[in-house]
Amino acid sequence: MALFNVDKISNSLEDQFKPEQISLYKLEEYIRALYESNQHDKLIKDLNNYLEKYSGSYEKIVSNKMLNTIELLQNKTVLKSKPMKLRIALTSDCNIRCLMCSSHNYHFNISENIFKEIIGLLPYLRYVQWYGGEVFVSKYFKDIFDEACKYPYLVQRIDTNGLLLNETWINKIVEHSVGLDISIDGITKDIYEKIRYGGKFENLIDNLNLIYKKGKETASWSRPENKTLLSMSFITMKSNYRQLEGIVEFAKKYNFGALIINYLCATDYTQEFYKQEKLDDSAEIMEHINKVMPHVINEADKCGIKVHDRVSRNNSHSMVTKQSNTPRKDKLFCFIPWQQLETNFLGGVRPYCFCKKNAGDINKNSLEEIWNNEIFQEYRAKLLSGNCSDFCSAPCLNGQVVNLRNI
């Protein structure tokens, strides 16, 4: 239920909430209500007045949200606010060697300086996603995770193969309602261990059972609204596309709340594997997938499982649908360069994984330096001008990537 009736928002933010009463959740509702009712000038004025009068009287995330919203609405390209979201590759190291992954060809780990900078950013962040490689291999992950858990407004998600989880880690994860995106590209031992070379299917199943058990014992994790905390990512290829037919039953058995059905991507080091396993050169396989996926989605819906279908041609968000760089009609269709930093397992930085151009390198510069460097400013300016096809990828321009305008 919304906290605000748009028709009755006539008072200022200060009249609505005193500093000791305001929370990030209330602030977010207030911002959305005014933004969606096109009261942008009032919203900017209210947030500015509140910041000037009560600066330092509330959590850093609250002031950062206010300042970030003002700068976005004022079309600023140089920001005083800090990122609201991070997606950070901590390492390229991994405990297994998946056939479609190239991370083992690199030797990247975040530096101690970047580790300290991430720790310093945590009080300002609303969302962070940790990934690798495999995050549980990183020597810094335990300390970063434990520190992040001190901030109740900070939403965390972990990308993992799930094989290095243990009871201690699972207890922490469910206690703090941290999301887990577990990569599982085979629902039977033979397919799983063929694709995820070095992984043991029995180990995965043991950990899934333990997550299920601990989750049921923890009130916050077991709430219906938190069901999508546990999601399964499945990269579809010739070796495993037939397993789509049983994927909902598998997801239901182990209490997954979401299924992310991805397509296979090529990298510099996996070109040969990609040529063997890619889907879009086989009309027969794609026809099969296009027939199966509506059934998958229907069965998942009956079980309360959300499906992100990025592989079939049945929906406009499919990544195997023919793409073009057609400019979008909505001029500022993406807020991400004002809100987010994302690093990869080489140290490269972009606003988002779909963005075309690297904006920096954390092996050479700090996150703070990159956040307002020339390329990040250009991302913002290009989006404001509507002339961004040289920076923005076809899936974003075509509307295949969603949730680009969250405020």
Side-chain angles (χ1 to χ4, degrees):
M1 180 182 294
L3 294 172
F4 302 100
N5 183 331
V6 173
D7 296 330
K8 296 181 180 180
I9 298 180
S10 56
N11 296 332
S12 69
L13 180 61
E14 183 180 358
D15 292 332
Q16 298 267 0
F17 302 114
K18 301 304 179 188
E20 64 274 11
Q21 299 172 317
I22 198 166
S23 73
L24 182 64
Y25 306 125
K26 292 177 180 178
L27 175 64
E28 287 174 336
E29 285 282 353
Y30 186 82
I31 288 172
R32 278 194 292 268
L34 266 70
Y35 179 79
E36 291 170 2
S37 60
N38 292 315
Q39 299 183 59
H40 298 177
D41 290 341
K42 172 178 169 51
L43 178 54
I44 292 170
K45 181 180 178 182
D46 278 0
L47 295 178
N48 265 321
N49 288 342
Y50 209 91
L51 278 173
E52 289 173 5
K53 188 166 184 177
Y54 297 112
S55 178
S57 301
Y58 32 76
E59 291 109 326
K60 292 175 180 178
I61 178 61
V62 173
S63 58
N64 196 44
K65 176 64 178 177
M66 290 184 185
L67 183 56
N68 188 262
T69 302
I70 292 167
E71 291 176 331
L72 172 61
L73 294 177
Q74 291 182 333
N75 297 335
K76 300 286 189 183
T77 58
V78 178
L79 309 184
K80 293 181 180 178
S81 61
K82 300 181 186 298
M84 295 293 300
K85 304 174 184 178
L86 289 180
R87 189 168 186 265
I88 297 288
L90 298 175
T91 180
S92 63
D93 295 341
C94 191
N95 54 312
I96 59 176
R97 187 166 176 162
C98 301
L99 299 181
M100 64 288 187
C101 183
S102 61
S103 70
H104 55 267
N105 291 288
Y106 309 107
H107 302 286
F108 168 79
N109 289 281
I110 60 166
S111 67
E112 185 175 357
N113 286 339
I114 293 296
F115 160 71
K116 291 177 180 177
E117 191 174 12
I118 293 170
I119 294 292
L121 282 171
L122 293 175
Y124 300 92
L125 294 175
R126 185 67 171 98
Y127 176 86
V128 64
Q129 187 161 7
W130 313 110
Y131 80 107
E134 174 54 51
V135 294
F136 293 102
V137 173
S138 171
K139 68 177 182 179
Y140 293 116
F141 185 52
K142 180 182 181 299
D143 290 340
I144 288 178
F145 181 85
D146 288 345
E147 186 66 23
C149 288
K150 296 177 182 178
Y151 301 98
Y153 293 131
L154 178 53
V155 175
Q156 295 186 77
R157 292 199 76 86
I158 302 170
D159 285 7
T160 176
N161 57 48
L163 297 172
L164 295 179
L165 290 168
N166 55 38
E167 188 166 2
T168 300
W169 267 113
I170 291 170
N171 282 334
K172 284 184 181 183
I173 287 164
V174 299
E175 178 187 351
H176 294 283
S177 298
V178 174
L180 275 178
D181 296 325
I182 302 182
S183 299
I184 304 172
D185 308 303
I187 59 174
T188 58
K189 176 180 172 65
D190 57 336
I191 299 297
Y192 178 85
E193 293 185 358
K194 174 187 174 183
I195 295 172
R196 297 200 156 256
Y197 184 76
K200 298 298 181 185
F201 190 69
E202 294 84 359
N203 185 5
L204 171 71
I205 297 304
D206 287 346
N207 285 341
L208 292 180
N209 283 325
L210 188 56
I211 294 167
Y212 182 67
K213 176 178 180 291
K214 295 296 182 180
K216 285 186 69 175
E217 295 171 356
T218 306
S220 60
W221 181 273
S222 58
R223 290 177 191 148
E225 64 269 26
N226 282 344
K227 188 171 183 180
T228 55
L229 285 175
L230 184 62
S231 65
M232 171 179 166
S233 179
F234 183 93
I235 297 178
T236 315
M237 60 192 84
K238 288 177 181 174
S239 290
N240 68 2
Y241 75 95
R242 291 279 182 184
Q243 300 217 318
L244 289 172
E245 296 166 34
I247 200 168
V248 174
E249 184 180 350
F250 182 91
K252 180 182 177 182
K253 182 177 181 179
Y254 297 106
N255 206 37
F256 285 98
L259 281 170
I260 304 165
I261 313 297
N262 281 311
Y263 68 110
L264 180 66
C265 294
T267 70
D268 291 342
Y269 286 98
T270 61
Q271 287 289 343
E272 287 305 312
F273 181 78
Y274 176 73
K275 289 176 184 177
Q276 296 169 16
E277 294 285 343
K278 66 178 180 176
L279 302 170
D280 52 4
D281 65 348
S282 173
E284 182 181 348
I285 291 176
M286 285 310 305
E287 183 180 358
H288 178 85
I289 290 172
N290 293 335
K291 286 181 179 178
V292 166
M293 280 309 299
H295 176 73
V296 168
I297 293 168
N298 184 54
E299 290 303 304
D301 187 59
K302 292 177 184 177
C303 302
I305 299 171
K306 186 174 182 179
V307 176
H308 302 267
D309 173 15
R310 297 172 181 169
V311 69
S312 79
R313 291 192 172 98
N314 297 315
N315 70 89
S316 61
H317 305 304
S318 169
M319 296 305 175
V320 295
T321 303
K322 185 177 179 181
Q323 301 173 357
S324 67
N325 286 337
T326 305
R328 292 178 58 140
K329 293 180 180 179
D330 44 340
K331 188 176 180 181
L332 185 55
F333 66 87
C334 175
F335 297 163
I336 287 178
W338 283 265
Q339 298 170 332
Q340 178 173 293
L341 279 169
E342 177 167 333
T343 72
N344 62 33
F345 51 61
L346 289 174
V349 183
R350 303 180 188 199
Y352 193 34
C353 61
F354 286 102
C355 298
K356 285 183 177 180
K357 192 171 183 178
N358 262 359
D361 184 344
I362 59 173
N363 297 302
K364 300 175 182 177
N365 298 101
S366 68
L367 293 170
E368 182 179 7
E369 289 169 338
I370 296 168
W371 180 234
N372 275 311
N373 70 11
E374 183 178 339
I375 300 176
F376 244 95
Q377 291 180 49
E378 196 169 2
Y379 265 109
R380 295 165 189 145
K382 290 272 188 179
L383 280 163
L384 290 168
S385 72
N387 182 24
C388 56
S389 60
D390 54 338
F391 274 57
C392 300
S393 66
C396 295
L397 292 169
N398 293 339
Q400 292 169 297
V401 181
V402 296
N403 298 324
L404 299 177
R405 284 170 55 94
N406 291 331
I407 192 164

